[in-house]
Amino acid sequence: MKKILAAVDFSEPSKNAARYALALAKDIPGSSLTLYYTYEVMTAGSDGTPLLVDTDARKVIASGALNNLKAELGDAGNVNIDIAIEPGRLSSTLVKYVEHLGIELIVMGITGTSRLEQIIIGSNTLSVISEDICPVLIVPADATYKKINKAVLTTDLKDVASTTPVKELQSVLSDLKPELSVAHVAFEVGEMPDSIKKEKDALQKMLERFNPAFFHITDPDFIDAIDKFVKEYKPDMIITVPRKHSFFKKLFTESYTKKLAYNSQLPILAIHSK
């Protein structure tokens, strides 16, 4: 997880995500950071007529803005910072760039409205997550970097062997070296079924060198369960393995964000299942 890319659009949340990305990179020896910006080659005139963008002029402006942001980030320590500007839609253009350069982590900000409990993930962030390019770290708009000493992996303990992104998880955990907790939420009260115990044992074996602590939580509401867990154990990052784009999006729809508002400073790392 040493090649890090921060996707920016010059909004304050994206600038904050870039600051977070640099601080994270400084904590991972040998890391590099790319500040990445894309722009549409077509725009709409006042009457809605499609107009071609002056790409050369746009690149010059974007290059200046990215270099200004690079300067604003301040001391980069031993982290090499590059800038990249490409025409096209973010998600499709980013796929090619990430694959070509071997980017291992994308860092993006959350676009928020005026009230904390109304925070939602921006459409660009969702589109990048849905592409399943590489792990994506979602940084809340007001988050400030704190060394990742504790992380919690949320899991439903289903089909662990075929769905767990072991390589990506091990890479993240090896680089960050956090104290790892694994939180499984059961919706009904009762003893853990044998099938779930087997899945737990399988995941335990996959992650055994990280010595994870497992927690079995009973709660009919997944978000409430994670809420309580985070309040009690105070992790610095949540790691989730969304099986589908819609599952991840569900966590951030307006009906759930109020329950997650307490967690506004906590980054969430999405690593797609295999």
Side-chain angles (χ1 to χ4, degrees), residues 74-234:
D75 179 21
N78 294 321
V79 178
N80 181 59
I81 303 179
D82 293 318
I83 65 171
I85 306 159
E86 293 191 309
R89 292 186 177 277
L90 176 63
S91 57
S92 57
T93 305
L94 191 54
V95 169
K96 297 176 183 177
Y97 188 87
V98 166
E99 291 177 346
H100 180 66
L101 274 296
I103 298 297
E104 298 168 288
L105 176 69
I106 298 170
V107 181
M108 300 186 73
I110 289 176
T111 301
T113 58
S114 59
R115 296 181 62 194
L116 181 62
E117 62 267 26
Q118 293 176 327
I119 290 175
I120 60 172
I121 289 183
S123 58
N124 279 339
T125 305
L126 281 174
S127 66
V128 170
I129 292 171
S130 68
E131 291 290 345
D132 187 16
I133 315 167
C134 69
V136 179
L137 181 63
I138 309 303
V139 179
D142 297 323
T144 54
Y145 180 73
K146 177 183 177 185
K147 185 174 176 61
I148 311 299
N149 292 315
K150 295 182 179 181
V152 56
L153 169 65
T154 63
T155 177
D156 59 6
L157 289 179
K158 293 180 180 178
D159 303 318
V160 165
S162 62
T163 62
T164 303
V166 179
K167 181 180 177 182
E168 291 82 357
L169 268 175
Q170 290 181 343
S171 175
V172 168
L173 296 172
S174 295
D175 286 332
L176 298 180
K177 300 177 175 60
E179 176 185 318
L180 179 64
S181 298
V182 178
H184 168 249
V185 180
F187 300 124
E188 296 180 0
V189 177
E191 187 177 347
M192 183 185 291
D194 289 341
S195 59
I196 296 297
K197 290 179 181 178
K198 289 180 180 178
E199 297 289 345
K200 172 184 172 293
D201 291 342
L203 186 57
Q204 174 86 51
K205 187 173 182 179
M206 291 177 187
L207 302 174
E208 61 183 346
R209 67 187 174 102
F210 304 105
N211 194 30
F214 278 77
F215 296 85
H216 180 70
I217 307 166
T218 301
D219 196 305
D221 189 307
F222 174 81
I223 303 300
D224 277 344
I226 299 304
D227 182 339
K228 294 170 186 174
F229 182 89
V230 169
K231 284 180 177 177
E232 182 173 355
Y233 292 96
K234 297 179 173 56

Side-chain angles (χ1 to χ4, degrees), residues 35-78:
L35 302 177
Y36 184 85
Y37 173 76
T38 61
Y39 61 91
E40 299 283 355
V41 295
M42 297 286 290
T43 188
S46 58
D47 60 353
T49 304
L51 299 174
L52 282 172
V53 171
D54 184 337
T55 56
D56 290 337
R58 192 67 178 270
K59 282 185 178 180
V60 170
I61 294 171
S63 178
L66 282 177
N67 278 308
N68 286 340
L69 175 58
K70 181 178 176 179
E72 289 175 20
L73 294 179
D75 179 21
N78 294 321

